[in-house]
């Protein structure tokens, strides 16, 4: 009988970096090695995953090929390095205990929405996890919000207090089970549990949670009954509390607005499945992909007319933010059976906070801060280590555009493909995020919020401490916005770091878009937003730059106009309308406001503009949109940022090609004069043309302005790449028209995708500019 030829064994040590912890990578490696008859081990370290594998060369090469080409679905490999070792002729393959390090770091997985397998588990009456609201596996469940340190193992998460029962332990140790080494693994016997209490009641104690084990379905049935009767329920979720009510109940939605002190800003809603969403919103294929992705963001969708959702969810808005459930608890709020129609078409699910404060995470904090808002509290006893709001996206040209980057996206890094110094960028004031850089990665924090109060500063500092620990970052420099009164700037300037680098706001916008698209060299950067401190001390916001990462030239901007009352003009757009009208017509400006503005206020603002009293000059494009909205009667006063501009966008009639006149003054920088546009709008209002037509013409005009200035700069500079950034480009009507016109002229147009175009992306731009400056300094 012929014998098999002896094949000498080889041994390789493999270092893998990227998102490879908390995504089932060790179980994947273990089963792959065993299937190929290889020996060795795999372990998590502070820098990623380390593997030693031994066996015949062909099988080792097959192993390496499978690791590279077919990793677990949630994994993202950024680097693999190999080292040859002498064979040890050991037997078997094992998962070894994790090894921690002080300086090495691993990329931590984002939180992942419930997978279909787990959904089937908690929906099946015959399954031991039937109705269990914390069901998870290696393919889904909490990650970032429960991780306290790396390597990612249960003792370093908020699941540490929950000791697995024998059946869960057996799953955890079974290589053939999808819960093999699933760190948050639990069931109703050994895991977290839920308790429903009335507002004003005592906080649940350990004995209450113990008594509630195995009784989740009864508790959730009572929650659904409370919601049906119009109650407001504070639900402890994945990254914080959410305030829930029946989205079809007008009285409940209005009550939530009153108690949360949120008069007009839209609420998000959650529907159980895509069929429910399609009953009240128009859903494209790109929208569907975003809704059903493992990140489960809120997606901005066009509302269908005639739906039974309360109009008070998004007053005066044609769009609403919709998400699908991302935890078993959310699914079970819609009913026990996933095969039967949901008990609610949709639930309002809005951040559990009082307006302008961070989302609440702890049970005690929820009782104290939300006691006057919620009628009932649905508590659980798994701690939230890092708070994270729901992310917000919309789609454009079949791709996702992130508007608020938080749960499901953080702490996923932006791989910049170049070596970076370790530094901190503190971001802007509105929609604040910060950014840490290390190796070739930029890691943005979750959405912090408007950096305007003590509570938000505490959130900023606790998140910074946590990410510094996870990433093993020791910043050697700090980047900050030039605005001297921003709390983020003041925080940066207080840090005990020798190197502090101020970065102009709109340069940071453009650099953020460049970094996300891996652009080097000069570009034309169009940065349109509401507010940014300029190098001349004025308020910028309608800027066209020629820029690279090292610097910028301001080559064009909207002509300065007074901002009467400063921030008061942001809250009262009629002030900007009056400012633009006086700038265009002087003392003969037409009366376009009727009786809605008290005469004494009109007189005061007229005086401020005429005498330049408390009326700083601004080139803000956001304020131009506010002015036109107010002229059309779409928003004299607003309760949240962008409200008037959103109304103006909603009003625009599609398919109109007309536009207004404008001037571009030859100067250095060029001045974009919108007085002919304002004159044309006033003329059309006097002729009683519809606001819908006027809005469409105005949007077309701004898009043509952008294109005309870019054409002039291309002739002068020879540049063909255009980056569009700033919060104004959240306006889909303007974005679509601008991209269309620029491409028609042969420009390469670059947009944001996974990094917000608004101030939520500023910190990335600050970080890459500061890194470039440090590189040039040597």
């Amino acid at each position: 009988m012929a014998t098999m030829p002896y094949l000498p064994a080889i041994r390789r040590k493999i270092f893998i970096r990227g998102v490879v912890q908390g995504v089932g990578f060790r179980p994947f490696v273990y089963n792959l090695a065993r299937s190929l008859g290889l020996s060795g081990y795999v372990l998590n370290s502070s820098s990623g995953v380390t593997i030693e594998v031994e066996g015949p060369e062909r099988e080792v090469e097959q192993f390496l090929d499978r690791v590279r080409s077919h990793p677990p679905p949630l994994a993202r490999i950024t680097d693999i390095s190999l080292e040859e070792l002498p064979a040890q002729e050991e037997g078997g393959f094992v998962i070894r205990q994790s090894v921690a390090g002080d300086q090495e770091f691993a990329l931590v997985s984002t939180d992942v929405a419930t997978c279909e397998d787990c959904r089937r588990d908690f929906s099946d009456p015959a399954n031991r996890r039937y109705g269990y609201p914390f069901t998870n596996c290696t393919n889904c469940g909490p990650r970032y919000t429960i991780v306290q340190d790396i390597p990612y193992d249960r003792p370093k998460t908020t699941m540490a207090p929950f000791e697995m029962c024998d059946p869960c332990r057996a799953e955890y140790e079974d290589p053939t089970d999808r819960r093999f080494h699933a760190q948050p693994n639990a069931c109703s016997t050994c895991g977290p549990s839920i308790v429903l209490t009335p507002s004003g009641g005592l906080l649940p104690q350990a004995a209450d949670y113990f008594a509630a084990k195995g009784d989740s379905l009864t508790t959730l049935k009572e929650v659904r009954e409370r919601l049906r009767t119009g109650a407001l329920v504070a639900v402890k979720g994945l990254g914080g509390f959410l305030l829930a009510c029946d989205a079809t109940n007008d009285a409940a939605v209005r009550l939530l607005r009153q108690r949360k002190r949120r008069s007009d800003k839209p609420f998000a809603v959650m529907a159980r499945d895509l069929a429910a969403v399609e009953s009240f919103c128009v859903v494209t294929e790109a929208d569907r992909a975003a809704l059903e992705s493992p990140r489960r963001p809120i997606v901005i969708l066009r509302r269908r007319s005639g739906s039974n959702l309360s109009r008070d969810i998004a007053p005066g808005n044609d769009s609403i933010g919709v998400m699908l459930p991302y935890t078993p608890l959310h699914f079970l709020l819609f009913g026990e059976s996933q095969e039967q129609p949901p008990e609610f078409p949709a639930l309002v699910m809005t951040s559990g906070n009082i307006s302008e404060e961070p989302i609440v995470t702890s049970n005690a904090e929820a009782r104290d801060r939300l006691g006057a808002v919620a009628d009932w509290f649905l508590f659980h006893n798994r701690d939230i280590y890092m708070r994270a709001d729901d992310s917000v996206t919309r789609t454009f040209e079949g791709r996702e555009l992130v508007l608020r980057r938080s749960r499901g996206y953080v702490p996923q890094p932006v791989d910049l493909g170049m070596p970076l110094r370790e530094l901190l960028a503190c971001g802007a004031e509105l929609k604040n995020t910060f950014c840490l850089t290390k190796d070739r990665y930029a890691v943005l924090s979750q959405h912090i919020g408007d950096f305007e109060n003590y509570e938000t500063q505490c959130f900023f500092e606790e998140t910074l401490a946590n990410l510094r620990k996870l990433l093993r970052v020791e910043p050697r420099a700090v980047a900050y916005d030039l605005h001297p009164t921003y709390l983020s700037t003041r925080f940066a300037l207080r840090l005990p770091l020798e190197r502090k680098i101020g970065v102009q706001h709109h340069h940071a916008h453009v650099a953020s878009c460049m970094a996300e698209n891996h652009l080097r060299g000069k570009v034309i950067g169009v940065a349109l937003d509401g507010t940014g401190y300029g190098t001349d001390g004025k308020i910028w916001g309608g800027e066209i730059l020629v820029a690279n990462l090292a610097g910028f030239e301001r080559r064009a901007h909207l002509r300065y106009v007074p901002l009467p009352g400063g921030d008061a003009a942001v809250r009262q757009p009629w002030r900007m309308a009056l400012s633009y009208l006086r700038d265009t017509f002087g003392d003969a400006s037409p009366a376009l406001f009727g009786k809605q503005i008290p005469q004494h206020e009109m007189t005061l603002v007229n005086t401020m503009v005429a005498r330049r009293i408390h009326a700083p000059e601004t080139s803000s494009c956001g304020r131009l949109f506010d002015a036109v909205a107010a002229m059309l009667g779409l928003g004299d006063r607003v309760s949240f940022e962008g409200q008037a501009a959103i109304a103006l966008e909603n009003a625009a009639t599609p398919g109109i090609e007309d536009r207004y006149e404008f001037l571009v003054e030859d100067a250095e920088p060029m001045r974009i004069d919108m007085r002919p546009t304002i004159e044309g709008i006033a003329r059309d209002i006097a002729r009683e043309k519809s606001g819908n037509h006027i809005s469409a013409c105005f949007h077309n005009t701004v898009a043509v302005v952008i294109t005309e200035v870019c054409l002039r700069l291309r002739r002068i500079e020879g540049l063909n790449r255009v980056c569009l950034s700033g919060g104004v480009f959240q306006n889909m009507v303007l974005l679509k028209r601008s991209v269309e016109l620029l491409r028609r002229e042969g420009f390469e147009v670059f947009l944001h995708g996974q990094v917000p175009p608004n101030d939520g992306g500023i910190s990335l731009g600050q970080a890459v500019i500061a890194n470039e400056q440090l590189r040039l300094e040597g």
Side-chain angles (χ1 to χ4, degrees):
M1 175 177 161
T3 59
M4 294 292 292
Y6 171 72
L7 297 176
I10 63 170
R11 190 176 184 90
R12 296 288 184 268
K13 190 168 190 174
I14 308 160
F15 300 94
I16 302 181
R17 301 192 67 183
V19 181
V20 290
Q21 295 190 16
V23 293
F25 208 92
R26 287 176 298 175
F28 159 74
V29 167
Y30 176 92
N31 285 310
L32 177 59
R34 294 281 294 259
S35 71
L36 293 171
L38 302 174
S39 61
Y41 69 86
V42 60
L43 60 81
N44 276 350
S45 71
S46 298
S47 61
V49 168
T50 301
I51 306 166
E52 286 193 20
V53 64
E54 181 174 323
E57 183 174 5
R58 186 181 70 174
E59 281 73 13
V60 170
E61 290 301 323
Q62 286 179 349
F63 173 86
L64 290 170
D65 181 64
R66 288 287 302 278
V67 167
R68 290 189 181 101
S69 61
H70 294 87
L74 299 177
R76 193 166 67 88
I77 296 173
T78 60
D79 186 64
I80 297 180
S81 59
L82 301 176
E83 181 181 331
E84 293 186 10
L85 297 175
Q88 298 180 9
E89 298 183 359
E90 64 184 349
F93 194 93
V94 297
I95 296 178
R96 286 190 181 175
Q97 186 173 350
S98 299
V99 176
D102 292 335
Q103 299 303 317
E104 299 174 323
F105 78 102
L107 300 176
V108 176
S109 170
T110 63
D111 299 293
V112 183
T114 301
C115 69
E116 284 303 309
D117 287 332
C118 283
R119 183 175 175 178
R120 282 190 288 270
D121 286 348
F122 67 73
S123 303
D124 180 4
N127 192 290
R128 73 184 188 92
R129 287 188 172 84
Y130 177 57
Y132 184 56
F134 302 95
T135 302
N136 66 85
C137 70
T138 55
N139 299 319
C140 68
R143 299 290 191 273
Y144 176 60
T145 51
I146 66 169
V147 173
Q148 297 167 322
D149 202 353
I150 55 172
Y152 175 68
D153 288 308
R154 194 178 183 106
K156 294 181 183 291
T157 73
T158 59
M159 284 298 293
F162 301 97
E163 185 175 347
M164 281 182 275
C165 63
D166 289 343
C168 285
R169 174 63 63 182
E171 293 169 335
Y172 184 86
E173 295 176 350
D174 180 0
T176 66
D177 196 286
R178 77 174 197 279
R179 294 189 170 93
F180 181 45
H181 277 251
Q183 303 306 325
N185 188 32
C187 70
S188 60
T189 300
C190 63
S193 51
I194 57 175
V195 173
L196 181 67
T197 65
S199 179
L202 296 175
L203 280 177
Q205 303 300 309
D208 300 311
Y209 289 112
F210 183 81
K213 286 184 179 295
D215 203 24
S216 296
L217 289 176
T218 302
T219 301
L220 288 163
K221 183 177 181 180
E222 185 178 356
V223 173
R224 293 193 296 272
E225 183 57 34
R226 300 292 178 188
L227 290 168
R228 258 193 303 272
T229 59
L232 310 183
V233 181
V235 179
K236 187 177 183 181
L238 190 63
F241 277 79
L242 296 174
L243 290 164
C245 71
D246 180 355
T248 65
N249 186 324
D250 289 334
V253 176
R254 285 195 291 267
L255 181 62
L256 179 57
R257 286 205 173 279
Q258 175 188 336
R259 291 184 181 175
K260 200 171 187 283
R261 304 201 293 270
R262 187 167 170 172
S263 56
D264 296 304
K265 193 174 183 179
F267 288 140
V269 302
M270 178 181 285
R272 192 189 69 180
D273 51 38
L274 196 61
V277 177
E278 289 176 327
S279 72
F280 55 80
C281 284
V282 177
V283 183
T284 67
E285 284 302 313
D287 296 332
R288 181 194 307 266
L291 284 165
E292 294 186 322
S293 79
R295 292 166 167 159
R296 287 293 198 279
I298 297 168
V299 182
I300 307 299
L301 302 173
R302 181 70 63 177
R303 190 203 302 247
R304 290 188 187 276
S305 60
S307 80
N308 62 345
L309 295 192
S310 171
R311 296 300 299 182
D312 291 306
I313 288 170
N317 202 323
D318 293 337
S319 299
I320 53 176
V322 185
M323 59 181 158
L324 295 177
Y326 51 87
T327 72
L329 177 60
H330 294 145
F331 280 106
L332 293 164
L333 288 174
F334 290 94
E336 294 175 19
S337 171
Q338 304 300 302
E339 304 303 321
Q340 299 296 320
E343 296 190 24
F344 305 94
L347 293 171
V348 169
M349 283 285 196
T350 189
S351 298
N353 60 357
I354 300 299
S355 292
E356 312 311 326
E357 293 184 1
I359 190 171
V360 168
T361 55
S362 76
N363 294 347
E365 185 186 19
R367 179 197 59 185
D368 295 342
R369 292 192 175 274
L370 302 179
V373 180
D375 300 307
W376 292 85
F377 286 89
L378 184 59
F379 291 118
H380 65 68
N381 58 337
R382 184 183 71 202
D383 288 342
I384 298 168
Y385 189 67
M386 283 312 306
R387 68 186 84 211
D389 278 286
D390 294 315
S391 296
V392 181
T393 72
R394 68 188 315 162
T395 62
F396 176 72
E397 294 186 336
R399 62 183 283 193
E400 185 179 55
L401 300 180
V402 176
L403 306 181
R404 184 169 79 188
R405 194 173 187 270
S406 204
R407 176 195 52 78
Y409 294 80
V410 174
Q412 179 178 310
V414 179
D415 187 345
L416 298 178
M418 59 183 180
L420 301 167
R421 313 291 178 92
E422 293 190 15
L423 63 76
L424 163 67
C426 289
E429 181 173 67
L430 300 180
K431 299 179 177 64
N432 179 268
T433 66
F434 63 81
C435 180
L436 290 166
T437 57
K438 183 166 182 171
D439 288 357
R440 66 187 199 216
Y441 303 111
V443 178
L444 279 75
S445 73
Q446 64 267 41
H447 170 78
I448 301 294
D450 294 348
F451 203 152
E452 297 176 325
N453 54 48
Y454 173 75
E455 292 81 8
T456 305
Q457 180 164 329
C458 291
F459 179 23
F460 180 102
E461 292 181 10
E462 75 181 29
T463 306
L464 176 58
N466 185 54
L467 276 175
R468 281 184 58 187
K469 177 175 62 176
L470 291 180
L471 299 173
R472 306 297 195 256
V473 171
E474 286 296 332
R476 302 291 185 244
V478 61
Y480 59 91
D481 192 277
L482 293 179
H483 200 298
T485 68
Y486 281 1
L487 291 182
S488 59
T489 297
R490 293 178 177 180
F491 175 85
L493 295 177
R494 287 197 306 270
L495 291 176
L497 295 172
E498 182 177 341
R499 198 69 178 88
K500 298 180 172 74
I501 301 170
V503 178
Q504 201 281 322
H505 189 91
H506 300 94
H507 185 203
H509 266 309
V510 175
S512 176
C513 186
M514 291 179 66
E516 187 176 1
N517 288 284
H518 289 191
L519 301 181
R520 303 302 296 264
K522 287 187 176 182
V523 301
I524 300 171
V526 183
L528 306 182
D529 64 1
T531 300
Y533 194 79
T535 54
D536 58 1
K538 296 182 180 181
I539 302 169
W540 292 7
E543 312 306 314
I544 301 183
L545 315 177
V546 169
N548 58 21
L549 299 183
F552 75 96
E553 297 174 357
R554 189 190 195 199
R555 301 300 297 273
H557 64 86
L558 288 176
R559 184 173 169 276
Y560 286 124
V561 296
L563 182 71
D567 287 346
V570 179
R571 298 187 296 272
Q572 300 175 22
W574 69 267
R575 292 176 178 241
M576 285 309 304
L578 188 57
S579 180
Y580 263 101
L581 286 167
R582 282 192 63 90
D583 185 57
T584 301
F585 296 100
D587 292 337
S589 60
L592 296 177
F593 299 103
K595 298 179 181 178
Q596 65 267 34
I597 308 299
Q599 185 58 47
H600 72 277
E601 291 189 38
M602 294 278 286
T603 301
L604 174 64
V605 172
N606 261 316
T607 302
M608 294 170 75
V609 172
R611 299 183 182 178
R612 295 297 199 268
I613 300 171
H614 192 33
E617 290 189 319
T618 183
S619 61
S620 167
C621 190
R623 302 292 78 80
L624 171 62
F625 272 74
D626 285 352
V628 174
M631 288 174 66
L632 296 179
L634 297 174
D636 298 324
R637 303 174 193 271
V638 298
S639 62
F640 65 92
E641 187 205 11
Q643 183 177 359
I646 291 170
L648 187 63
E649 177 187 359
N650 287 334
T653 299
I656 291 175
E657 296 291 325
D658 296 341
R659 66 169 179 88
Y660 296 109
E661 296 299 315
F662 62 90
L663 296 173
V664 178
E665 300 174 13
D666 284 324
E668 193 56 53
M670 291 178 268
R671 287 190 297 273
I672 302 163
D673 187 348
M674 300 300 287
R675 285 178 294 183
T677 301
I678 298 298
E679 185 177 352
I681 291 171
R683 184 170 55 248
D684 280 351
I685 292 173
R687 293 172 177 172
E688 298 186 351
K689 281 197 175 181
S690 76
N692 307 94
H693 179 90
I694 294 171
S695 175
C697 292
F698 171 71
H699 282 85
N700 290 343
T701 304
V702 177
V704 172
V705 166
I706 292 167
T707 306
E708 170 62 25
V709 174
C710 288
L711 283 167
R712 293 192 186 196
L713 289 175
R714 183 167 64 184
R715 287 194 293 270
I716 297 167
E717 299 286 343
L719 299 174
N720 201 52
R721 300 182 300 178
V722 178
C723 290
L724 304 182
S725 189
V728 170
F729 285 113
Q730 294 175 134
N731 180 318
M732 291 295 103
V733 175
L734 177 64
L735 181 64
K736 179 179 179 181
R737 190 64 170 149
S738 300
V739 170
E740 176 185 294
L741 293 181
L742 287 165
R743 287 179 180 158
R744 187 182 298 170
E745 297 293 342
F747 287 101
E748 282 187 276
V749 183
F750 296 91
L751 310 176
H752 289 271
Q754 298 300 298
V755 176
N758 55 46
D759 283 5
I762 281 283
S763 61
L764 174 62
Q766 291 174 345
V768 294
I769 289 168
N771 261 286
E772 183 70 1
Q773 187 166 327
L774 292 172
R775 185 187 70 81
L776 293 173
E777 292 172 359

